[in-house]
Amino acid sequence: MVGPPMCQVLLAALALSAGMAVPVSRLVDLMWGAHRPRTAERTLHSYVTRLRQALGAGAIATVGAAYRLDLPADAVDALRFQRHADAGDAAAALAEWTGPPLAGLHVTPGLAAVLDGLEERWLAAVEQELADRVETDPVASVGRLTELTAGHPTREGLWALLMTALYRAGRQTDALAAYQTARRHLVEHLGVEPGPRLRELEAMVLGQDDRLAASGSPGGPRPAAEDGRAGNLPLRLGRLIGRDQELGAVSLALSVWPVVTLIGPGGIGKTRLAVAAASREGDEDGVWLVDLVEVGSSADVPRVVAGTLGVKEKAGRELTEAIVSALRPRRALVVLDNCEHVLDGAAALAQAIADGCPGTRVLATSRERLGLRDGHEKIVPVGPLEPDGPGVELFRERAAALSPGFGPEAEDGVVTAICRRLEGVPLAIELAAARTATLTPTELLTRLDDQLRLLVAVGGGGRASARRHRAMRATVQWSYDLLAPAERLLLRRLAIFVGAFDLAAAAAVAAGPGTTDPATSDSATSAPAPAEELLAGLVARSMVVAEPGVASRRFRFLEPIRQFAAEKLAEAGETDLMAARHAAWCTERVGGIHRLLTGRGEAAGTAQLDDLWPNLRAAFDWASGRADRHLAHALVRPLVTEIPRRNRAELGDWVERLLAMAAPGEADLVAFGLTWAGQRHKLAQDPAAFERLVTRHGPAGTGAASGGGSAIALATAWALVPDVDKAVVDGFLDVAVRHAQASVHQDFPALGELAPLMISRLRARGEDDLAEHFELDVGASMIFGGRFEDGDAFVDALAGRYRADGPPTLLNMALVLLGYSALLQGRQERAEALLAAAIAVEVPERTHSPNRCVEARAYFRRGETARAFAILRAHIDELLDTGNMQGICVTAVEFVNMMVQADRLADADRVLRHLDRTAPYWAGLVADARHAIGTTPRLTAPEPHLPTPDLDDHQTLEYMRSVLAELIPAARG
């Protein structure tokens, strides 16, 4: 033995590439993998020194940044085995096999893949040798095949040979029993049914097919594809779901370009798509599939391809030249699968074929492009499946195969939700479906917060490529290990983003200085490459998804990759550091969004807020978890007007969580929290919930709803005299609470007194944007108090300001308020003009506005009743969906007036009673309808399907919707 175990590992790594220079980086990966020490290269040099002392100074040569074991390849048994296997001489290869390679040696994770590759090639040689024995002496081969299938229970080729041998030995029943045993192992270990080869063989045994007695049966060697064409392409296992468009794109690309590369993240289905696409090609010299997953280095790529194609190495000619020479006169398709870890070798070979073989094409799969020159390469991105369609179909197919009780309609909505959470990644969907053997879809959905732990197939064994796809963690780890240290550093830091981010965000949050990762020696303090360059590398390697954005490219993770990167971030001890930077970035972003929301750029502000929302949620949760009320307030404060304007209910939750964080004596924070929680409960028309908040957090004496007072003169003075002294009012918390109560209870007399005080206090504090939101309350209190002239003048002045400076939402609200004021005054022509102007104002999506009611009113007045009813019903649906009970008033007014005109007086009466009880200040808008109902004799008995008169807001909306649903078909007829 030469030195300690790691010295022996280094010697083994060099011996497996004897005579060839192995880069230091490759040796480090083979010896330590992802857990290399900070001093890995220095330690490696010391091991080389010890080996030279033991073997002789000339045994290991230094070649640039690489080492070479100066030993002929034929001096290493493993390399002799590979050479004979490449030549197709199974007997000679097996003669060199003396047992598991490096037996007794400490095998590192890096070397494990190489050893797996050797074992796989040994099994392939064993299969070839046994296939010959099955042809000549099936009885003698049964014992060896029985032993091998026990040791490798998921290897279908061995089971096929055993079934064939048993059948030829006159043991038909045992052959069928072998099939059932194979099926049990495949289902239990891999969660899949036997492939077409075994299923076909079972049918042949059952049918006593004569072909089983002939040479070249399913159990023997298969030099040609299963459909009779030259090549080694297997039949596709299972249906290819949801890839028709990609198949068309690959077919078209292969008709034009010599090299087509399918790129995408691990588990996205590149191999399955490549096999399906290749099976549709009509190359007369065959389709050849070369799986590179077990190839140890780029230098080994030509050897593996040559072995697959049956190309022999000749003296004086490089192997790549021999491959090109053999393919030059042929029309063939070579599929290079899993190129990402041997990218240079795969690219060089593909380039040589493209340059020298006009009739041969290459279809490659990789997590990044090969990067060929001269425009020889066409990239076909492979993305996730559409979750709601093909994703659900794939889940159902796989689950039904494993779980007999899984019906086609089982928990339909839950399955859709699962596929959306998995973002349509096929491997994730298949692994999730496999868990239905023990979990219901509902149970599965609740566990998806930890996808890396959950998405693991049951069982083990099999080839390295199969094992790599048996768990999402292994699939992502494979890609992560191929990244440069600086890329790994950026990847893990970017995991702090939830949802989309842009380049500026990545640079601000993830590219700054930080700690050192002891596992990878990634140090943020060592002059890193620019974030733009590193991020481009992550996109190119399919670790980050790039998408078009409104102003710039947006980036995001697929969730399994983000969870993996987040684990790496935690291991590096940087989670809180990145979270703090992320929260600071979010704070800056909401500041910019606030400036848009308060001006004419409101629509752009809401779009940007939608885009930011997942990250904003994560930042607020982090601040809340640390009880950092100052940071939480900074994240929420610029956005609170979105609660009443677009009912962002989650923002209302955050306000109440912030309220709970307030320390004793923090009157300003309590006033803020109760003010905007009040706006939330005003929308929901839930004063009782708000009063509970006031009792819990408000000052003494404010736990009961406010009532009217005698401050009308103050409101009038504030409204009509612009230069009135708006001094800071003492007792701001008390004013804020009572104003919020008046707002929630829709107490317009009290609002008339309190809104000017509230506005004055806010402006004195420099919070003009919040004060502006309450100005319409002053106008509304005047109008609904019968002071039309004062109210119209006040609101008209506001409308002029909003028209010039924005925001559009407040302009829309002001015009609607003026329009209904005109209706209350009987000024029909002015009302219609104002309401038409209100509709013409473009407000952001989801804005709470009575526009739809106004539209329905206009169509109804023009005689388009079906359209009017449909618009009003759609508006009611929106109110119910958003929980906006405040919007019921205008809706009820239009419904009552329409129903009277449609001679549905009983329906009008039901809703009118609710309106009278909850919003009597709208009475003037339904006066004619009230008169019509009052002069009609009451029904002697209520219709049985009608509810009782005492309806709450929600019931009233549901009632109006049901009536409109009944009327729409008749109105259209």
Side-chain angles (χ1 to χ4, degrees):
M1 304 298 282
V2 285
M6 289 303 284
C7 249
Q8 299 166 30
V9 170
L10 173 59
L11 179 59
L14 290 169
L16 289 172
S17 297
M20 299 174 59
V22 185
V24 168
S25 60
R26 173 63 177 161
L27 290 171
V28 168
D29 283 341
L30 288 173
M31 294 179 66
W32 289 286
H35 302 290
R36 60 185 179 183
R38 184 181 308 173
T39 59
E41 293 189 7
R42 189 162 62 249
T43 303
L44 177 68
H45 296 325
S46 70
Y47 289 152
V48 170
T49 300
R50 297 189 67 167
L51 286 176
R52 284 171 173 164
Q53 292 171 351
L55 303 175
I60 301 176
T62 300
V63 185
Y67 292 110
R68 181 184 66 235
L69 180 63
D70 278 341
L71 196 68
D74 273 357
V76 180
D77 56 357
L79 299 184
R80 293 196 302 272
F81 163 78
Q82 287 182 332
R83 179 166 57 80
H84 291 307
D86 290 343
D89 189 344
L94 292 174
E96 298 290 350
W97 189 267
T98 57
L102 309 185
L105 182 66
H106 168 70
V107 178
T108 63
L111 274 179
V114 178
L115 301 184
D116 285 342
L118 286 170
E119 184 178 0
E120 168 62 22
R121 302 199 70 189
W122 169 72
L123 281 170
V126 168
E127 282 193 35
Q128 183 180 342
E129 193 260 347
L130 282 171
D132 293 335
R133 291 178 61 186
V134 168
E135 291 290 319
T136 58
D137 191 357
V139 175
S141 65
V142 168
R144 179 67 172 140
L145 284 167
T146 301
E147 177 186 348
L148 286 168
T149 51
H152 305 276
T154 60
R155 196 172 182 91
E156 294 190 45
L158 292 173
W159 285 108
L161 288 170
L162 177 58
M163 290 173 64
T164 304
L166 288 168
Y167 181 84
R168 290 180 178 175
R171 298 167 61 182
Q172 175 179 337
T173 301
D174 290 339
L176 293 173
Y179 173 82
Q180 293 300 327
T181 302
R183 180 182 181 278
R184 186 179 70 252
H185 283 301
L186 290 168
V187 171
E188 290 179 355
H189 293 173
L190 301 180
V192 298
E193 292 287 335
R197 186 181 180 190
L198 283 183
R199 295 199 302 269
E200 177 190 6
L201 188 53
E202 182 202 27
M204 293 172 70
V205 171
L206 288 169
Q208 299 185 350
D209 196 305
D210 292 340
R211 287 177 293 170
L212 276 177
S215 177
S217 69
R222 291 151 48 100
E226 289 142 343
D227 59 1
R229 294 182 298 167
N232 69 338
L233 193 67
L235 288 174
R236 178 164 47 87
L237 298 181
R239 294 189 304 128
L240 184 67
I241 296 172
R243 294 297 192 191
D244 290 345
Q245 184 174 349
E246 289 90 340
L247 278 173
V250 175
S251 180
L252 177 61
L254 285 171
S255 69
V256 178
W257 276 271
V259 178
V260 176
T261 305
L262 310 185
I263 64 170
I268 210 68
K270 300 183 295 294
T271 297
R272 183 168 294 183
L273 175 61
V275 171
S279 69
R280 295 169 48 160
E281 299 301 310
D283 298 83
E284 61 188 39
D285 292 310
V287 179
W288 302 89
L289 175 63
V290 185
D291 188 356
L292 301 177
V293 72
E294 294 161 358
V295 176
S297 70
S298 287
D300 293 331
V301 172
R303 175 181 52 77
V304 176
V305 174
T308 302
L309 297 175
V311 176
K312 308 299 184 193
E313 186 173 5
K314 295 183 179 179
R317 185 170 64 175
E318 291 185 358
L319 202 49
T320 297
E321 293 178 13
I323 293 170
V324 171
S325 178
L327 290 175
R328 184 173 291 119
R330 299 164 68 178
R331 290 189 66 254
L333 175 63
V334 178
V335 182
L336 299 179
D337 193 25
N338 297 300
C339 297
E340 53 272 347
H341 65 300
V342 286
L343 202 65
D344 292 343
L349 183 62
Q351 185 76 60
I353 294 173
D355 290 339
C357 306
T360 294
R361 299 161 299 162
V362 174
L363 176 60
T365 73
S366 178
R367 301 188 188 182
E368 60 181 298
R369 65 189 307 156
L370 300 184
L372 303 191
R373 64 178 186 273
D374 302 328
H376 282 159
E377 182 183 17
K378 172 65 175 176
I379 303 301
V380 178
V382 182
L385 296 173
E386 186 65 36
D388 293 6
V392 170
E393 186 179 355
L394 176 62
F395 184 97
R396 292 195 177 288
E397 181 178 277
R398 298 298 186 266
L402 297 171
S403 308
F406 189 90
E409 303 301 327
E411 301 188 67
D412 189 63
V414 178
V415 172
T416 299
I418 290 171
C419 294
R420 287 176 180 169
R421 286 285 303 279
L422 299 176
E423 299 194 73
V425 177
L427 176 61
I429 291 173
E430 293 191 33
L431 292 172
R435 299 305 295 266
T436 57
T438 55
L439 298 172
T440 68
T442 299
E443 292 171 331
L444 183 59
L445 180 60
T446 63
R447 288 165 168 79
L448 285 183
D449 286 338
D450 188 0
Q451 295 182 15
L452 296 175
R453 182 191 62 80
L454 181 70
L455 302 182
V456 180
V458 180
R463 299 188 302 115
S465 57
R467 289 198 299 274
R468 179 163 57 85
H469 286 88
R470 293 177 52 74
M472 281 306 305
R473 184 186 302 279
T475 298
V476 180
Q477 181 76 54
W478 169 270
S479 296
Y480 181 78
D481 290 344
L482 299 176
L483 299 177
E487 290 173 327
R488 296 180 190 177
L489 175 65
L490 182 63
L491 181 83
R492 73 174 187 240
R493 288 182 167 187
L494 290 176
I496 204 66
F497 289 102
V498 181
F501 56 93
D502 59 15
L503 177 60
V509 175
T515 61
T516 298
D517 181 353
T520 63
S521 300
D522 298 343
S523 175
T525 58
S526 59
E532 180 177 2
E533 178 182 330
L534 294 173
L535 185 55
L538 294 176
V539 172
R541 290 162 180 77
S542 302
M543 296 299 282
V544 173
V545 178
E547 300 173 330
V550 176
S552 62
R553 299 283 282 178
R554 292 156 28 104
F555 306 93
R556 67 178 180 87
F557 285 106
L558 294 176
E559 184 59 18
I561 297 178
R562 193 199 67 79
Q563 290 187 12
F564 177 91
E567 287 184 359
K568 294 297 181 184
L569 185 66
E571 290 172 9
E574 287 193 332
T575 300
D576 279 342
L577 172 65
M578 291 301 110
R581 290 186 192 170
H582 177 262
W585 170 76
C586 284
T587 303
E588 182 180 355
R589 289 284 293 117
V590 297
I593 290 170
H594 170 261
R595 288 188 287 275
L596 292 171
L597 292 175
T598 55
R600 300 180 70 176
E602 184 183 36
T606 59
Q608 290 185 23
L609 183 55
D610 288 340
D611 192 50
L612 180 67
W613 199 264
N615 282 299
L616 182 61
R617 177 190 296 121
F620 184 87
D621 285 344
W622 184 76
S624 179
R626 295 169 60 87
D628 188 340
R629 58 190 181 279
H630 301 297
L631 174 58
H633 178 264
L635 290 167
V636 170
R637 160 63 182 83
L639 307 173
V640 287
T641 56
E642 287 294 284
I643 297 174
R645 293 179 192 176
R646 273 161 287 278
N647 193 21
R648 293 195 186 258
E650 192 171 3
L651 198 55
D653 290 337
W654 297 350
V655 166
E656 295 194 17
R657 287 166 64 184
L658 179 59
L659 188 59
M661 282 188 255
E666 281 192 295
D668 284 355
L669 190 57
V670 172
F672 173 84
L674 289 175
T675 295
W676 296 100
Q679 294 299 299
R680 176 194 194 185
H681 293 296
K682 170 185 173 182
L683 271 178
Q685 291 290 279
D686 190 359
F690 180 67
E691 292 300 341
R692 288 193 292 272
L693 278 179
V694 173
T695 300
R696 189 178 309 125
H697 300 288
T702 57
S706 65
S710 57
I712 296 294
L714 178 58
T716 305
W718 190 90
L720 301 181
V721 184
D723 59 350
V724 68
D725 180 17
K726 301 175 179 62
V728 175
V729 181
D730 292 334
F732 175 58
L733 175 57
D734 184 69
V735 171
V737 173
R738 294 192 181 280
H739 171 263
Q741 288 175 313
S743 184
V744 171
H745 288 272
Q746 293 288 273
D747 185 342
F748 284 105
L751 272 177
E753 295 181 12
L754 293 164
L757 294 175
M758 184 69 173
I759 293 166
S760 175
R761 181 60 167 155
L762 288 170
R763 289 198 183 280
R765 294 158 60 91
E767 298 187 282
D768 290 345
D769 59 312
L770 301 186
E772 185 176 65
H773 181 79
F774 298 116
E775 289 177 324
L776 284 173
D777 284 348
V778 177
S781 67
M782 295 178 187
I783 289 169
F784 291 121
R787 298 172 50 231
F788 296 115
E789 184 176 350
D790 292 341
D792 286 351
F794 181 75
V795 177
D796 192 59
L798 292 178
R801 192 174 85 213
Y802 301 148
R803 191 176 288 107
D805 302 327
T809 293
L810 292 186
L811 175 59
N812 170 260
M813 292 178 178
L815 292 173
V816 168
L817 183 56
L818 287 171
Y820 279 106
S821 174
L823 287 175
L824 286 168
Q825 298 172 63
R827 302 168 65 186
Q828 189 69 38
E829 186 174 341
R830 172 175 166 79
E832 298 303 332
L834 286 165
L835 293 175
I839 294 174
V841 176
E842 293 187 13
V843 296
E845 291 184 10
R846 301 192 311 276
T847 296
H848 291 313
S849 166
N851 278 2
R852 303 297 291 275
C853 292
V854 175
E855 286 183 61
R857 169 191 175 83
Y859 281 114
F860 190 81
R861 287 173 61 82
R862 292 202 296 264
E864 298 183 46
T865 56
R867 191 167 186 181
F869 292 159
I871 291 173
L872 195 61
R873 181 189 173 184
H875 178 63
I876 291 171
D877 288 339
E878 183 179 331
L879 296 179
L880 288 168
D881 288 343
T882 60
N884 178 12
M885 297 298 107
Q886 186 188 11
I888 193 174
C889 297
V890 178
T891 310
V893 165
E894 300 303 341
F895 177 87
V896 168
N897 288 331
M898 288 182 190
M899 291 304 101
V900 169
Q901 293 295 317
D903 200 27
R904 300 277 297 220
L905 299 183
D907 296 318
D909 184 44
R910 301 290 185 190
V911 175
L912 179 61
R913 294 183 186 184
H914 176 79
L915 192 64
D916 286 344
R917 188 172 66 256
T918 59
Y921 40 87
W922 291 94
L925 297 178
V926 289
D928 292 342
R930 187 188 313 280
H931 177 74
I933 294 169
T935 57
T936 300
R938 296 285 178 187
L939 298 175
T940 55
E943 297 178 42
H945 71 279
L946 295 176
T948 61
D950 292 332
L951 304 173
D952 62 24
D953 290 333
H954 192 278
Q955 291 170 333
T956 301
L957 286 170
E958 291 279 11
Y959 178 64
M960 288 190 286
R961 181 169 65 175
S962 67
V963 172
L964 291 168
E966 177 187 343
L967 290 174
I968 289 171
R972 286 174 176 165

